[in-house]
C-alpha cells in the first residue's frame, strides 16, 4: 500500500478544479496535487496556489508535462470533450494512471483506443461517471437487486436537463453523450444488465428562429425584452454577479467579476447571443426506448426540468425515487420509504456527493493498486458510450432500431 498518491491535473476548468480540490483535501494526507497544465493563466495560477504547486510544475500545455520524466502517479484529464483522447493516450503510454472526465472520447474508435492502451500498459483508469459513487443511486441499486420487488420487468428514467444546457452550441458531442451518458451509465449500474438494442427520437424544437419573440434583438445586451425574457443571459449572469457567486457558472464565461467584465464576456463571447437566433444545434427533448437483457424494457426521457427521477417495475412491486426520497410499494401491501437528503454525510461536493465519492475511490484504488475499488472502469463505461452513439444515430434517422455491438 502506498501512503500518499501524487496527481497532476490536465485542464483547470470547472471539473478539473473540483476534482483537484477534493483530492487536495483527502483525509490523512493520502493525496497531493503536484502539477497542473492549463493554458489560461488565471485558472492555472488559482489552482496552483490552492494546491501549493511550485512554479516549475505549472504548465500551459500538457505536452510540456508529458515529455518530462514522470512527475506523479496519476493524471486527471479534464480538458474539453473533443480534447480527451490525445492527453489520455500520451499519459497512459508515459506510465501514468488516469482519471478521465466523461465522455471519454467523441467517437467509439477513440474510446476503444484508450481502453486498449490502458490495458497494454496495465494502468488503472477511472471514468468520471460520478452517479455511481452517490449514496442515493447505490441505495436504489441495492433495493432493486435485493429482490424486494421480484424480477425487474421494466423501468423509466427521467433526466430534467435545465434549460441552459439546451441553449448552447454543440462544440464536440451530442447531448445524449455529453450530458446524458451519466444516465445511461447509471441505468446499467443499477440493473446489472446490458442493453441489447434501442431506438430514439428527439429534436431542437424551441430554441429556433421561428420562436424568437417579436422585437427581440440578436444579442441579449441589446435586447429590449431582457427584463422579461426568462432566457436572458444578461439577467441570468448579472444575478450571480450581484449575489457574489464567482464560481460556476459565472467563472465559465469570464475571469473579470465586474459588471464591465461580464458585459465584455457577453458581448465578445457566445453566451450573450439570443438563443433563438444563433447556430444552436442541441436537442431540447429526447426519448430513448431500450431492450435490456432478460427482455427488460425501459424508457429514458431527457427534457427541461430539474433533477432526476427513476421508477422500476417488478413482478412483486415497484420502486420510485427522485434523489431526495425513495419509495417502495410491494404488491402484498408492504411499503418502505427512505429519506436520502442526508445520507451518511456524503453530500459534500457536487452530484449528490458523487464527485467526492469518485475521488475517494480513485485514490484508494491507486494506494492499494486495486482497480476493483473503482466501479467506473473504461471497459464498463464503454457500454454506456456505445448506447449514446447508437441513440444519436437513431435520433438523426428519426428512430430506426439500433443494435448495440460490443
Amino acid at each position: 500500500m502506498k501512503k500518499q498518491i501524487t496527481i497532476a491535473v490536465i485542464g483547470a476548468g470547472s471539473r478539473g478544479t473540483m476534482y483537484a480540490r477534493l483530492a487536495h483535501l483527502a483525509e490523512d494526507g493520502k493525496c497531493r496535487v503536484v502539477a497542473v497544465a492549463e493554458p489560461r493563466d488565471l485558472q492555472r495560477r488559482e489552482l496552483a496556489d490552492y494546491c501549493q504547486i511550485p512554479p516549475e510544475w505549472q504548465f500551459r500545455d500538457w505536452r510540456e508535462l508529458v515529455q518530462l520524466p514522470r512527475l506523479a502517479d496519476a493524471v486527471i484529464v479534464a480538458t474539453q470533450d473533443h480534447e480527451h483522447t490525445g492527453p489520455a493516450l500520451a499519459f497512459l503510454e508515459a506510465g501514468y494512471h488516469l482519471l478521465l472526465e466523461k465522455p471519454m472520447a467523441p467517437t467509439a474508435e477513440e474510446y476503444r483506443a484508450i481502453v486498449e492502451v490502458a490495458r497494454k500498459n496495465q494502468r488503472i483508469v477511472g471514468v468520471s461517471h460520478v452517479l455511481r459513487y452517490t449514496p442515493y443511486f447505490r441505495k436504489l441499486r441495492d433495493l432493486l437487486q435485493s429482490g424486494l420487488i421480484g424480477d425487474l420487468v421494466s423501468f423509466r428514467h427521467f433526466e430534467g436537463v435545465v434549460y441552459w444546457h439546451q441553449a448552447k452550441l454543440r462544440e464536440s458531442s451530442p447531448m445524449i453523450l455529453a450530458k446524458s451518458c451519466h444516465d445511461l451509465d447509471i441505468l446499467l449500474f443499477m440493473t446489472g444488465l446490458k442493453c441489447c438494442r434501442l431506438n430514439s427520437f428527439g429534436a431542437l424544437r424551441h430554441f429556433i428562429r421561428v420562436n424568437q419573440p417579436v422585437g427581440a434583438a440578436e444579442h441579449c445586451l441589446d435586447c429590449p425584452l431582457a427584463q422579461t425574457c426568462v432566457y436572458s443571459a444578461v439577467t441570468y449572469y448579472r444575478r450571480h454577479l450581484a449575489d457574489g457567486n464567482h464560481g460556476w457558472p459565472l467563472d465559465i464565461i469570464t475571469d473579470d467579476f465586474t459588471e464591465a467584465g461580464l458585459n465584455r464576456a457577453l458581448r465578445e463571447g457566445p453566451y450573450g447571443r439570443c438563443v433563438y437566433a444563433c447556430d444552436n444545434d442541441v436537442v431540447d427533448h429526447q426519448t430513448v426506448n431500450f431492450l435490456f437483457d432478460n427482455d427488460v424494457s425501459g424508457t429514458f426521457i431527457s427534457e427541461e426540468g430539474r433533477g432526476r427521477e427513476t421508477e422500476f417495475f417488478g413482478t412483486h412491486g415497484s420502486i420510485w425515487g427522485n434523489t431526495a426520497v425513495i419509495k417502495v410499494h410491494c404488491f402484498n401491501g408492504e411499503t418502505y420509504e427512505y429519506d436520502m437528503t442526508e445520507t451518511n454525510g456524503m453530500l459534500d461536493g457536487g452530484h449528490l456527493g458523487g464527485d467526492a465519492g469518485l475521488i475517494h475511490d480513485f485514490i484508494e484504488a491507486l494506494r492499494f493498486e486495486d482497480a476493483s475499488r473503482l466501479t467506473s472502469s473504461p471497459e464498463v463505461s464503454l457500454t454506456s458510450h456505445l448506447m449514446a452513439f447508437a441513440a444519436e444515430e437513431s435520433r438523426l434517422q428519426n428512430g430506426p432500431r439500433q443494435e448495440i455491438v460490443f
Side-chain angles (χ1 to χ4, degrees):
M1 180 185 70
K2 190 168 183 177
K3 291 185 177 180
Q4 187 181 68
I5 295 300
T6 54
I7 288 178
V9 178
I10 313 303
S14 177
R15 302 305 297 155
T17 296
M18 167 69 81
Y19 295 143
R21 287 173 177 254
L22 289 169
H24 181 74
L25 294 173
E27 70 274 16
D28 301 325
K30 291 179 180 177
C31 183
R32 187 162 58 95
V33 179
V34 298
V36 58
E38 165 61 50
R40 296 170 298 174
D41 294 337
L42 178 62
Q43 284 79 2
R44 185 177 64 256
R45 286 197 304 267
E46 286 186 342
L47 183 58
D49 289 346
Y50 185 85
C51 296
Q52 300 177 337
I53 299 171
E56 61 270 22
W57 285 8
Q58 300 174 30
F59 306 92
R60 291 185 55 84
D61 193 309
W62 61 265
R63 295 169 186 83
E64 302 173 49
L65 170 57
V66 78
Q67 291 171 1
L68 298 174
R70 189 158 60 92
L71 299 182
D73 298 303
V75 295
I76 296 174
V77 175
T79 53
Q80 294 295 314
D81 292 359
H82 62 287
E83 298 174 345
H84 284 178
T85 307
L89 293 176
F91 282 102
L92 287 171
E93 291 283 20
Y96 290 84
H97 299 293
L98 182 68
L99 179 62
L100 185 56
E101 174 63 359
K102 62 81 191 166
M104 282 185 66
T107 69
E109 291 74 21
E110 291 173 79
Y111 194 114
R112 293 183 192 277
I114 294 172
V115 172
E116 180 57 33
V117 172
R119 184 183 296 119
K120 181 188 73 173
N121 289 281
Q122 298 182 315
R123 297 295 84 189
I124 294 174
V125 178
V127 183
S128 62
H129 284 303
V130 293
L131 298 186
R132 285 175 173 257
Y133 300 89
T134 66
Y136 167 77
F137 280 109
R138 289 186 171 185
K139 180 67 174 181
L140 207 54
R141 177 201 59 180
D142 291 346
L143 288 170
L144 176 63
Q145 297 188 3
S146 71
L148 188 62
I149 64 167
D151 295 331
L152 179 62
V153 176
S154 63
F155 62 85
R156 66 176 183 86
H157 180 73
F158 172 81
E159 180 193 20
V161 181
V162 185
Y163 67 84
W164 57 70
H165 288 295
Q166 301 163 351
K168 66 178 184 179
L169 308 182
R170 185 178 69 198
E171 296 179 350
S172 59
S173 54
M175 177 78 82
I176 192 72
L177 181 62
K179 186 74 173 68
S180 300
C181 68
H182 272 319
D183 299 271
L184 303 183
D185 178 75
I186 204 63
L187 289 171
L188 300 172
F189 175 71
M190 290 187 293
T191 64
L193 303 173
K194 282 189 175 181
C195 179
C196 305
R197 56 183 179 265
L198 56 78
N199 71 343
S200 181
F201 299 89
L204 173 62
R205 180 185 180 278
H206 183 64
F207 295 120
I208 54 179
R209 175 73 70 169
V210 70
N211 292 325
Q212 186 179 27
V214 175
E218 300 292 291
H219 215 281
C220 290
L221 285 170
D222 305 323
C223 189
L225 308 181
Q227 296 299 317
T228 57
C229 178
V230 296
Y231 305 115
S232 169
V234 174
T235 301
Y236 178 71
Y237 288 107
R238 280 181 179 170
R239 184 187 311 128
H240 286 280
L241 185 64
D243 291 343
N245 175 20
H246 296 168
W248 187 92
L250 195 60
D251 63 353
I252 298 298
I253 72 167
T254 184
D255 302 331
D256 183 352
F257 302 118
T258 64
E259 185 168 350
L262 174 57
N263 288 343
R264 183 165 53 253
L266 293 176
R267 175 68 68 190
E268 298 175 358
Y271 294 92
R273 300 169 65 190
C274 176
V275 296
Y276 296 100
C278 62
D279 48 353
N280 176 23
D281 59 0
V282 174
V283 298
D284 54 23
H285 67 287
Q286 186 165 3
T287 299
V288 186
N289 302 304
F290 306 101
L291 180 65
F292 277 44
D293 292 338
N294 302 334
D295 290 326
V296 173
S297 60
T299 301
F300 166 60
I301 298 174
S302 172
E303 62 181 27
E304 205 289 319
R306 290 188 179 276
R308 289 178 165 94
E309 182 179 302
T310 309
E311 191 161 16
F312 293 109
F313 304 94
T315 54
H316 295 162
S318 62
I319 302 173
W320 173 89
N322 69 348
T323 73
V325 65
I326 297 174
K327 297 181 180 181
V328 181
H329 169 71
C330 299
F331 294 160
N332 64 7
E334 294 178 352
T335 60
Y336 306 90
E337 185 167 326
Y338 304 88
D339 181 357
M340 302 303 297
T341 54
E342 295 183 6
T343 46
N344 302 320
M346 283 288 291
L347 297 187
D348 296 329
H351 293 101
L352 302 174
D355 291 343
L358 168 67
I359 294 300
H360 174 272
D361 285 9
F362 182 63
I363 292 171
E364 293 302 290
L366 298 184
R367 291 180 66 231
F368 289 91
E369 298 182 350
D370 180 6
S372 69
R373 291 175 180 261
L374 284 167
T375 65
S376 57
S377 69
E379 292 85 359
V380 170
S381 298
L382 173 61
T383 305
S384 61
H385 282 61
L386 292 177
M387 290 167 65
F389 296 137
E392 183 65 3
E393 184 175 349
S394 176
R395 184 190 73 81
L396 292 172
Q397 298 177 32
N398 200 29
R401 188 179 78 180
Q402 300 290 323
E403 303 289 336
I404 308 301
V405 180
F406 301 100

